[in-house]
Amino acid sequence: MFSFNAVASAESHLTDTVTNGFKLRTVIVDAGHGVKPENAPKGHYSRGADGSFSNERNVTLSIALKLQKAIEKDINGVRAVLTRSTEDDVSFERRAQIANENKGNLFISIHCNSLPDKIIRERVGGTARRPKYRSVRVADRSGKGTLFLVYALKRSTEAENEIKNNQVEAESDLDGGGLDPDDPVVMILTNEYKRRFRKQSVNIANLISDEIVQVDGRRSEGLRGQSIYVLCHAAMPSVLVETGYINNPDDEEYLNSDEGQTEIVNSIVRAITKYKNQMEGSGN
């Protein structure tokens, strides 16, 4: 049972911990995928999608490197930490660990989208009454534009565990640094962090989308919740940016061009700047 005194103490502590004096100091920039190195540590890896002449893992690294430099140049007092800076892949688990170790305030994961092949039936002979068909796999290049992902609600338990371990546990006055999962202070703080982080994840996703659509004139497929490991294990507001469809010829050209990458980076930087001003001005 919760005591009224415990709840009141938790809510008071919550106000000081979660809402007051927020400063955006560290943005984690995550270049999706990579080349799995030999003797790589255990974990989950993914090489990413392929276009007709380029690979997702190379495009995301190029954009991430540009984004890191632009954030630190254009947003005063904010550092950008890369989860990878070479072609070598980093496991999903290590990416989230890097974000949490560096006490990130915002996690931006850069990816390229791709559609799976379509299966179609084509006629290969026969008669008018008894035609013969076969199934054929063909590339689906119809996808175009950006898409934004936040963690699916069905993974809330994982998000709660990371918040407890990386946010709530850091509060030194909570039971001497140790956590009792049934402590009302721990429960209230964890739920409030989770609520706010999800709200802020949606907010930054919408801000980036608005910049890409309204300033760059590109298409956005909107925002979706999806079961993405790094999004629910990074204990901070997090968004995955699908910058375009690498298996669409027009998008692939754009994603590999210096002009296209610069536009994407500038849109994200403008969105982060707006987010920073909102958060530091309102304390939400």
Side-chain angles (χ1 to χ4, degrees):
M1 295 288 291
F2 292 175
S3 74
F4 290 113
N5 288 337
V7 173
S9 173
E11 290 176 343
S12 174
H13 188 89
L14 171 64
T15 300
D16 294 337
T17 303
V18 183
T19 63
N20 287 349
F22 174 84
K23 296 293 182 184
L24 181 65
R25 301 189 187 280
T26 304
V27 176
I28 309 300
V29 178
D30 177 51
H33 308 286
V35 177
K36 186 176 180 180
E38 293 185 15
N39 302 317
K42 289 183 179 180
H44 294 85
Y45 297 85
S46 172
R47 65 184 302 278
D50 297 316
S52 62
F53 65 87
S54 64
N55 309 111
E56 178 180 8
R57 58 187 179 273
N58 295 330
V59 172
T60 61
L61 180 59
S62 181
I63 293 174
L65 290 169
K66 290 182 172 70
L67 181 57
Q68 181 199 35
K69 290 180 180 178
I71 289 171
E72 295 190 341
K73 175 179 177 289
D74 297 335
I75 307 179
N76 187 42
V78 176
R79 69 172 181 139
V81 176
L82 292 165
T83 59
R84 73 176 177 101
S85 57
T86 70
E87 70 171 12
D88 287 349
D89 198 3
V90 177
S91 71
F92 300 168
E93 294 84 352
R94 180 58 185 152
R95 291 170 189 268
Q97 187 179 27
I98 291 170
N100 294 328
E101 286 175 349
N102 283 277
K103 302 188 184 304
N105 307 119
L106 186 62
F107 185 91
I108 308 286
S109 189
I110 305 298
H111 286 254
C112 302
N113 219 337
S114 181
L115 290 176
D117 291 346
K118 296 186 294 186
I119 304 298
I120 64 172
R121 295 183 71 209
E122 66 176 15
R123 185 169 176 175
V124 293
T127 65
R129 290 187 176 183
R130 295 184 176 223
K132 292 183 179 179
Y133 294 91
R134 68 176 179 180
S135 295
V136 180
R137 185 183 297 273
V138 298
D140 185 352
R141 308 191 189 282
S142 63
K144 189 175 181 65
T146 58
L147 174 67
F148 301 88
L149 304 177
V150 297
Y151 78 84
L153 288 175
K154 65 183 179 181
R155 299 194 77 159
S156 290
T157 300
E158 292 168 81
E160 288 172 7
N161 290 336
E162 295 298 337
I163 288 169
K164 286 177 185 176
N165 293 333
N166 294 285
Q167 292 285 349
V168 180
E169 191 173 62
E171 301 303 315
S172 60
D173 56 337
L174 288 180
D175 198 23
L179 288 183
D180 175 1
D182 296 323
D183 186 326
V185 177
V186 172
M187 297 175 70
I188 292 172
L189 277 172
T190 299
N191 287 331
E192 182 63 10
Y193 270 120
K194 183 179 69 172
R195 184 187 71 80
R196 287 181 178 272
F197 286 173
R198 178 144 184 106
K199 176 182 176 183
Q200 293 159 10
S201 298
V202 171
N203 183 25
I204 186 63
N206 285 329
L207 288 171
I208 298 172
S209 180
D210 287 347
E211 293 296 326
I212 286 175
V213 172
Q214 296 173 13
V215 178
D216 300 340
R218 299 184 66 215
R219 178 174 181 266
S220 172
E221 294 183 341
L223 174 66
R224 299 177 192 170
Q226 204 165 102
S227 295
I228 305 292
Y229 183 96
V230 292
L231 297 184
C232 65
H233 283 263
M236 62 202 69
S238 307
V239 61
L240 188 150
V241 182
E242 297 280 13
T243 54
Y245 281 83
I246 200 166
N247 69 338
N248 174 291
D250 293 336
D251 270 12
E252 185 178 15
E253 291 284 352
Y254 179 83
L255 292 170
N256 281 275
S257 69
D258 186 65
E259 177 186 2
Q261 292 184 6
T262 300
E263 276 193 354
I264 293 167
V265 165
N266 289 342
S267 285
I268 295 174
V269 169
R270 288 193 304 271
I272 294 173
T273 301
K274 289 181 178 179
Y275 177 84
K276 181 177 187 291
N277 292 337
Q278 287 178 3
M279 296 296 297
E280 293 182 359
S282 66
N284 286 329

